[in-house]
Amino acid sequence: MTDLDAVLGNAGPTGLKERIAAELAAVRERSLAYTDADDDMLVRQHSPLMSPLVWDLAHVGNYEELWVLREVGGIEPLRPEIDHLYDAFKHPRKDRPSLPLLGPAEARKYISGVRGRVLDVLDMVDLAAPDPLRSGGYVFGLVLQHEHQHDETMLATLQLSRRPGLVRDGELPPGRPAAEPEVHIPAGVFTMGTDTVAWAYDNERPAHRIYLPGYWIDRRPVTNAAYLEFVEDGGYRDPRWWLPQGWEWAERNGVEAPLYWTRDGDTWWRVRFGREEPVPPDEPVQHVSWYEADAYARWAGKRLPTEAEWEKACGGRTYPWGEADPGHLGRWANLGHRAARPSPAGAFPDGASPYGVEQLIGDVWEWTDSWFQPYPGYRCFPYEEYSKVFFGETYRVLRGGSWATHPSAVRTTFRNWDYPIRRQIFAGFRCARSEE
Ligand SMILES: [Fe+2]
């Protein structure tokens, strides 16, 4: 039995419950590891873009309380007076440090109290019930993915803090040279989105057929070495490559390289979790905005792929390599913070899609050319603030997850979105071009 069978319920209700309990324990261990720091580190705001870490910590417990305890368990609110503090729509991130938030010790106590009751609900709930929150353990998938997403956000905050010694690093396989830098995807119809992945979000549904003309897509994400050619070629000083809004943004903010990069003579350095190191040439570039990705692509004579092109390149599977859950072995992708960085280009040949496109999942989120819009036939579930309020021409879609994304919170249909100016996220890109 694979993990996917368990997620899909093929393990039977008991196996699924065991899997959920194990995943809940693992994600909490992760959240507690990222907040294992002194109180000042946790209550301080390290950037106006981010919440204090202690906000994320209590927020994941509050979300779990709302959805599992109140909605499914029918349990009375434990601390109704704090709900508004942890409602992401009530207070923007920049205002959160001035709120009367729970302190670190109180936050840990609150989320562990919630978790105890969540496990009681898990014990009693019927995961075969027709109700869509219970069916297949959807509500548990919702809170698990949510907590992992906040863990990734916490890593971005830890990176912004520039404090050393707080984030674990690890080993990664070596890179490999690529024979052909681009892969051709022939014209044709493919199925985008999903009706069947048990824990997929509303914005990934429904599955629908789309025709795409033939195109070329980069076999791997754009590396630091390739990106450096754009920098050294004066890419940041030439408005020809930039959209007007992007040019204006770069000028106003003095942007002339990826975030965390500085030049010292002929060498480029970067800061990674508080440590300075030379920029490694063969890693995918990260901490670039959509505008920078778009400008690079134009300079290279290419463009960003649409999200449909990105997804088609995955070959119509749950993961590019097939259905095997990436949680085991770590053979297919650099996910789940096995190391605190992207892996070198070519490090995961077994993770290639049937077309031979590599590193689609893991390493860096990949900016696409697409706005975050609903699929035809979209139905909001279970609440409007997950996706619906973000649809429109404000956010660009990112695909594929980063090294910091947990395997249970990514798949080929998964859609992330952000403002085109954002750089603190673990995002890079690959390019595409139309057939001539
Ligand atoms: Fe949240």
Side-chain angles (χ1 to χ4, degrees), residues 173-185 216-227 281-285 296-297 300 302-305 310 313 320 332 342-353 355-367 399 428-433:
R176 255 177 338 123
E180 295 294 332
E182 291 178 306
V183 173
H184 181 253
I185 313 286
W216 295 84
I217 191 161
D218 289 353
R219 186 178 298 276
R220 297 156 174 187
V222 170
T223 62
N224 288 324
Y227 196 82
D282 55 352
E283 268 180 28
V285 66
Y296 172 95
K302 302 187 187 182
R303 58 177 174 76
L304 294 178
W310 188 95
W332 295 287
S343 59
F348 287 92
D350 291 349
S353 81
Y355 293 112
V357 185
E358 298 178 24
Q359 287 169 292
L360 286 156
I361 294 286
D363 295 306
V364 286
W365 286 102
E366 297 182 26
W367 287 110
R399 291 300 199 106
F429 62 101
R430 76 181 71 218
C431 298
R433 61 188 171 90

Side-chain angles (χ1 to χ4, degrees), residues 7-141:
V7 172
L8 294 173
N10 298 342
T14 314
L16 179 56
K17 284 185 178 185
E18 282 163 5
R19 155 84 187 254
I20 290 169
E23 286 221 30
L24 284 169
V27 71
R28 184 53 48 82
E29 197 181 321
R30 186 181 185 197
S31 306
L32 293 175
Y34 294 166
T35 50
D36 183 13
D38 59 67
D39 284 10
D40 174 66
M41 180 72 197
L42 300 181
V43 301
R44 180 191 290 269
Q45 187 167 42
H46 299 282
S47 155
L49 295 177
M50 310 305 272
S51 314
L53 292 163
V54 75
W55 185 91
D56 291 281
L57 189 63
H59 166 78
V60 297
N62 188 242
Y63 189 88
E64 201 169 290
E65 191 196 337
L66 290 175
W67 286 101
V68 180
L69 299 192
R70 296 188 209 170
E71 280 293 321
V72 172
I75 295 170
E76 289 295 306
L78 303 182
R79 305 270 309 253
E81 77 285 2
I82 65 167
D83 279 355
H84 77 98
L85 299 172
Y86 299 104
D87 181 337
F89 287 86
K90 292 233 166 76
H91 306 282
R93 283 177 175 178
K94 67 177 174 46
D95 295 346
R96 290 177 192 164
S98 53
L99 299 173
L101 301 176
L102 301 183
E106 227 185 335
R108 288 187 194 104
K109 190 167 155 223
Y110 167 64
I111 65 170
S112 109
V114 170
R115 177 54 65 82
R117 291 172 174 82
V118 165
L119 295 176
D120 294 342
V121 172
L122 177 62
D123 226 20
M124 294 179 299
V125 75
D126 176 10
L127 298 182
D131 153 38
L133 275 179
R134 290 173 175 78
S135 168
Y138 188 88
V139 75
F140 298 99

